[in-house]
Amino acid sequence: QGCTQKYIVKNYFYYYLFKFSAALGEEIFYITFLPFIYWNIDHSVSRRMIIIWSIVMYIGQVSKDILKWPRPLSPPVVKLELRTVAEYGMPSTHAMAATAISFSFLIATVNQYKYPFELGLIGAFVFSTLVCLSRLYTGMHTVLDVIGGALISAVLLVLLYPVWDTIDHLLLTNPFCPLLSIAVPLILCYNYPKLDYYSPTRGDTTTILGAGAGATVGFWLNNQYAVPAYPSKGFQLGFPPITSKLAVVVLARFFVGIFVVLLTRWLMKSVVLGMLGYRYKFSTGDLEARRRLEVEVPYKFITYSSVGLSATVLVPLLHELLGLM
């Protein structure tokens, strides 16, 4: 099934608005926004967001392949995306991720930083609504998929909020944290629900759990063996005003960090695929071979756990070395 329909864009404002909004629920956003929070705002906020994001996304991805509700029929719907067309529809993981990220950020920061709660609530609502609407505009989900995703995410936030301080404390202090952080996600990835045909959901789930696992190990290592690179005093949002010097430091941290993260991803992807190709006798360009369970799971898990570890341990050390504290 593919996006073969031709279409004419009659309203470029909506077209680019919702194409951009759809990207806020994809890897390009996760790999930039979540590390940005860790490098520039507050470690505790970032930790909570990453843990919530990992749990919510895993439940959403697995739910799709258990429920097996189809996406909207095309035609009559015109689908503007190709990659996820093979996935099932219910629930919308874009809606789940947008709700979880925006509202967990609000909950984690509202009592720590000086900004109006109403402003934060409006921001979270607008962000999640734009992402939800983008799934309808791009033809990838029904209204029920989107509402279901947002509601499931909201319920999970309500259930997790009372214990997220406890979870955070255990992840930082428990001596078994590194082992469990790697073993549990790996078990979940290898025991992902089986489908009759290939779908990118298992690979995407492995990517998410791998990144979360690597970041969690990084949190533990920093707490055990290093002084926190950025004390949790934050920027007090809105106070003081953003100066040119502060803006330069923030941008420098971000671009240095993103360079290291992307370099880590490229390097580990090349090394791990090369090793697996040698082990299972396939070319690294063989897409079918890369979709096999024994290849896809270790390749994506090792690559993205390395990315998570690099973002939380290597990048802060590099920031300190470069005087970007």
Side-chain angles (χ1 to χ4, degrees), residues 37-271:
I37 300 298
Y38 189 77
W39 300 329
N40 290 298
I41 296 184
D42 192 301
H43 283 184
S44 66
V45 172
S46 179
R47 288 197 305 269
R48 285 160 174 76
M49 292 179 68
I50 289 173
I51 297 305
I52 294 292
W53 168 69
S54 301
I55 294 172
V56 165
M57 288 298 288
Y58 173 76
I59 291 174
Q61 295 285 80
V62 169
S63 297
K64 281 186 179 184
D65 289 339
I66 292 176
L67 294 174
K68 297 183 179 180
W69 287 20
R71 289 187 182 271
L73 292 176
S74 176
V77 166
V78 177
K79 294 183 178 178
L80 304 186
E81 296 178 10
L82 275 174
R83 183 182 176 277
T84 58
V85 76
E87 296 180 6
Y88 290 108
M90 177 67 168
S92 166
T93 47
H94 274 71
M96 292 183 71
T99 303
I101 287 175
S102 57
F103 283 94
S104 63
F105 180 80
L106 172 65
I107 295 167
T109 58
V110 69
N111 292 324
Q112 297 188 49
Y113 301 101
K114 296 178 181 178
Y115 69 91
F117 172 75
E118 294 79 8
L119 182 62
L121 184 61
I122 292 172
F125 181 78
V126 169
F127 178 90
S128 57
T129 299
L130 282 175
V131 175
C132 289
L133 290 177
S134 75
R135 308 317 291 155
L136 303 178
Y137 182 87
T138 55
M140 303 310 295
H141 285 285
T142 65
V143 173
L144 186 58
D145 294 343
V146 170
I147 293 175
L151 287 178
I152 292 171
S153 191
V155 170
L156 289 172
L157 278 174
V158 170
L159 294 176
L160 290 170
Y161 175 70
V163 296
W164 74 352
D165 286 336
T166 302
I167 294 173
D168 185 58
H169 178 72
L170 289 173
L171 292 177
L172 291 178
T173 60
N174 192 296
F176 298 104
C177 171
L179 176 62
L180 293 175
S181 296
I182 298 297
V184 172
L186 263 179
I187 291 171
L188 293 175
C189 291
Y190 274 107
N191 290 277
Y192 193 82
K194 292 180 174 60
L195 297 177
D196 297 330
Y197 63 92
Y198 177 80
S199 166
T201 48
R202 185 184 65 202
D204 290 345
T205 303
T206 305
T207 294
I208 292 162
L209 293 184
T216 302
V217 173
F219 299 150
W220 186 87
L221 289 172
N222 286 337
N223 189 65
Q224 297 295 320
Y225 300 108
V227 176
Y230 315 124
S232 296
K233 57 188 179 183
F235 287 158
Q236 295 291 316
L237 302 183
F239 303 93
I242 301 298
T243 63
S244 58
K245 180 179 179 180
L246 180 60
V248 169
V249 171
V250 167
L251 289 174
R253 286 179 179 176
F254 176 72
F255 285 115
V256 167
I258 288 299
F259 174 78
V260 173
V261 164
L262 294 178
L263 180 63
T264 301
R265 185 178 67 166
W266 172 79
L267 180 63
M268 293 307 299
K269 179 179 178 180
S270 302
V271 171

